C-alpha cells in the first residue's frame, strides 16, 4: 500500500459512511476500512439468527417467529424527517437512487398516561383531544404564526426578532399551558431537554415549521420516512456512492491501528502488517478509545410483537415520544415501531424499540413505562451501551471522531454531528439548498 489517501475512514457506521460519501463527491481520495465483515458498525441491521446470537448466545430463535432473513432489525433505529437534514444530504449526494423510502404512519406523544397523535398544524390543533377548547384556540394561533413565518420576510415576524427573544418569551405571547409547551418542544421541535426555552426562539420556530412542512409532504400520518428493508440500507448506499467516486472499501480488516508522527499528527493506518498513508482519519469512538470520553449511556429494549402499538390507530410504523416531565425523568423516552410494511419483519410481525438515556444499570426498570405501553410482546431483549464524545483537539492530530448515537428515534442530532465533522475536515459547509421533490416516498397502500 504505497498510495497516500486524503482521508482514511474507519468503521462503516452510518455517520462514517455519509462522511465518506460526502468527501468522495468532493474529490478527496478516500480509503474506508472496517474491522467487521459487515456494513453498518454500531448502526447495522440484524436478521433473526444474528439478533439471537448477539443477545442469547447459542439459543435458536423459535420457529413461530418466521424465517430469519425476513427480519432486518436496526440496532440504532431512527426515522428521517421528510424535509429534514438527512433527506437533504441524500439528495445533495444523489444517494436517493439507491434507496426506497416509505412514509411512516404515525407520530404520537404520551400525555397524562395516554397516547395522542401529535398535532402539527392549526387544523390539527383544533381537532386534538390533547387540549381543551380555549387551549386549542391559543395553540391554533401559535401554529398559524409558525406556518406563515418566513425568515427572509420581516412582515411575517409580527415585530419580533426571533434571534433576540428567548423561546420561552415567544411562547409566553400565546399563553400556552405547560403540557402544550411540553409536547410542542419535545414531540414537534424534537428537543431532548428544556434548555431550548432559554435559547433564541428562531431555532425553535424553524424546527416546528420543519415538522409541519414534513408532515404535509407525503400526506401521511407523520412527518417521517424510513427506508424499505431498514436502516442497514443507508450505509451501503453511501458506500456505493463513495465507490462510484473512486473511494476504496475494505471490510474485515482486523486491528486497524492509527499511526502518528512525533508531533502527534496522524500519518496512516496499519492493518495486517501494512500501513496505508493518509492526511486525516475519520472514525467512530471504538477505533481511538483514548481520544474520547464517556458522557452517559443509553438503555434500550428491542421487542418482537404480533400487533401494532396500542392506541396508535393500528399504525404499521410509528414514533411515540414520552416527554421527560410526563414520566418524572430527566430525559425523554422514545418508542419506535416498524413492521412487515417496511420489509423489516415477516407478515403480521412488528418490531418495537423503547430507548432513553440511562441513569442506572437496570434497563428493565428504567424502560418499564415505555414497555408497558406496547402490550404483550413475543420476545424482548434489553441492553445498555455507553455514549462517547471526542475529547481531543481534531485540529492538532487530524483525527475526526463521531459521537456515539443517542437515544432519539429520529436523525436530526445524528446528521448535525456529521455536518459539523464535515466542516471541521474540509473547512466547508455542505450545500443543503436542494430540490426536495427529488426524493419521493411511497405512501401506505
Amino acid at each position: 500500500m504505497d498510495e497516500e489517501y486524503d482521508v482514511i475512514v474507519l468503521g462503516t457506521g452510518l455517520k462514517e459512511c455519509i462522511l465518506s460519501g460526502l468527501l468522495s463527491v468532493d474529490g478527496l481520495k478516500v480509503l474506508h476500512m472496517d474491522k467487521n465483515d459487515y456494513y453498518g458498525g454500531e448502526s447495522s441491521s440484524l436478521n433473526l439468527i444474528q439478533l439471537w446470537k448477539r443477545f442469547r448466545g447459542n439459543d435458536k430463535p423459535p420457529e413461530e417467529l418466521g424465517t430469519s432473513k425476513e427480519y432486518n432489525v436496526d440496532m440504532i433505529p431512527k426515522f428521517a424527517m421528510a424535509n429534514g437534514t438527512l433527506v437533504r444530504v441524500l439528495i445533495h449526494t444523489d444517494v436517493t437512487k439507491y434507496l426506497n423510502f416509505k412514509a411512516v404512519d404515525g407520530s404520537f406523544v404520551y400525555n397524562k398516561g395516554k397516547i395522542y397523535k401529535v398535532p402539527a398544524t392549526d387544523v390539527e390543533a383544533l381537532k386534538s383531544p390533547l387540549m381543551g377548547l380555549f387551549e386549542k384556540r391559543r395553540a391554533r394561533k401559535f401554529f398559524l404564526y409558525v406556518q406563515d413565518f418566513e425568515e427572509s420576510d420581516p412582515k411575517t415576524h409580527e415585530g419580533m426578532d426571533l434571534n433576540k427573544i428567548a423561546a420561552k418569551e415567544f411562547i409566553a405571547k400565546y399563553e400556552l399551558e405547560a403540557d402544550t409547551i411540553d409536547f410542542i418542544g419535545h414531540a414537534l421541535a424534537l428537543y431532548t431537554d428544556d434548555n431550548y426555552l432559554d435559547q433564541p426562539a428562531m431555532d425553535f420556530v424553524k424546527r416546528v415549521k420543519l415538522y409541519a412542512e414534513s408532515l404535509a409532504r407525503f400526506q401521511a400520518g407523520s412527518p417521517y420516512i424510513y427506508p424499505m428493508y431498514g436502516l442497514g440500507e443507508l450505509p451501503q448506499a453511501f458506500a456505493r456512492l463513495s465507490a462510484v467516486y473512486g473511494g476504496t472499501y475494505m471490510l474485515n480488516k482486523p486491528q486497524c491501528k492509527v499511526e502518528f508522527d512525533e508531533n502527534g499528527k496522524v500519518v496512516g493506518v496499519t492493518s495486517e502488517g501494512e500501513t496505508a498513508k493518509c492526511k486525516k482519519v475519520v472514525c467512530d469512538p471504538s477505533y481511538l478509545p483514548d481520544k474520547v470520553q464517556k458522557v452517559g449511556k443509553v438503555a434500550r429494549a428491542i421487542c418482537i410483537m404480533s400487533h401494532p402499538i396500542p392506541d396508535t390507530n393500528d399504525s404499521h410504523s410509528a414514533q411515540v415520544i414520552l416527554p421527560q416531565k410526563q414520566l418524572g425523568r430527566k430525559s425523554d423516552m422514545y418508542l419506535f415501531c416498524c413492521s412487515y410494511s417496511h420489509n423489516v419483519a415477516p407478515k403480521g410481525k412488528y418490531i418495537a424499540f423503547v430507548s432513553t438515556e440511562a441513569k442506572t444499570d437496570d434497563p428493565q426498570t428504567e424502560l418499564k413505562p415505555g414497555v408497558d405501553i406496547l402490550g404483550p410482546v413475543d420476545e424482548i431483549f434489553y441492553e445498555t451501551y455507553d455514549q462517547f464524545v471526542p475529547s481531543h483537539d481534531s485540529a492538532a492530530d487530524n483525527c475526526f471522531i463521531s459521537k456515539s448515537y443517542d437515544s432519539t428515534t429520529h436523525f436530526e442530532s445524528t446528521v448535525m454531528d456529521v455536518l459539523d465533522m464535515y466542516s471541521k475536515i474540509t473547512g466547508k459547509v455542505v450545500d443543503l439548498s436542494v430540490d426536495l421533490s427529488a426524493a419521493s416516498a411511497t405512501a401506505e397502500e
Side-chain angles (χ1 to χ4, degrees), residues 45 55 76 136 172 287 359:
S45 302
F55 289 100
I76 310 276
K136 282 180 180 171
Y287 286 87
K359 297 291 174 256

Side-chain angles (χ1 to χ4, degrees), residues 78-88 90 101 104 107 187-190 206-215 217-218 222-226 319 409-412 415 436 439:
K78 291 181 189 287
F79 291 131
M81 192 76 91
N83 285 10
T85 323
L86 177 63
V87 171
R88 288 173 183 275
L90 295 173
F101 280 93
V104 172
S107 172
L188 275 95
L190 303 179
K206 281 184 172 169
R207 282 174 175 233
V208 177
K209 192 173 173 69
L210 169 67
Y211 188 101
E213 287 174 348
S214 296
L215 183 67
R217 177 81 188 281
F218 297 117
S222 87
Y224 300 110
I225 58 175
Y226 180 76
Q319 172 177 263
T409 45
H410 51 76
F411 271 111
E412 296 306 296
V415 185
L436 282 163

Side-chain angles (χ1 to χ4, degrees), residues 267-343:
V267 289
V269 174
T270 302
S271 172
E272 299 177 297
E274 286 191 292
T275 302
K277 296 194 186 88
C278 67
K279 301 181 184 92
K280 292 174 180 171
V281 161
V282 172
C283 64
D284 70 46
S286 71
Y287 286 87
L288 286 170
D290 54 344
K291 289 184 185 278
V292 294
Q293 66 188 28
K294 183 180 158 184
V295 289
K297 54 183 182 228
V298 172
R300 184 169 52 210
I302 303 168
C303 313
I304 299 174
M305 316 194 295
S306 300
H307 60 86
I309 297 176
D311 304 320
T312 58
N313 312 336
D314 292 332
S315 296
H316 284 185
S317 51
Q319 172 177 263
V320 185
I321 294 182
L322 291 68
Q324 54 203 44
K325 278 192 186 140
Q326 300 292 325
L327 302 174
R329 290 179 58 82
K330 289 213 169 34
S331 52
D332 294 355
M333 195 171 287
Y334 299 88
L335 303 189
F336 174 107
C337 175
C338 52
S339 68
Y340 59 95
S341 75
H342 276 94
N343 296 6

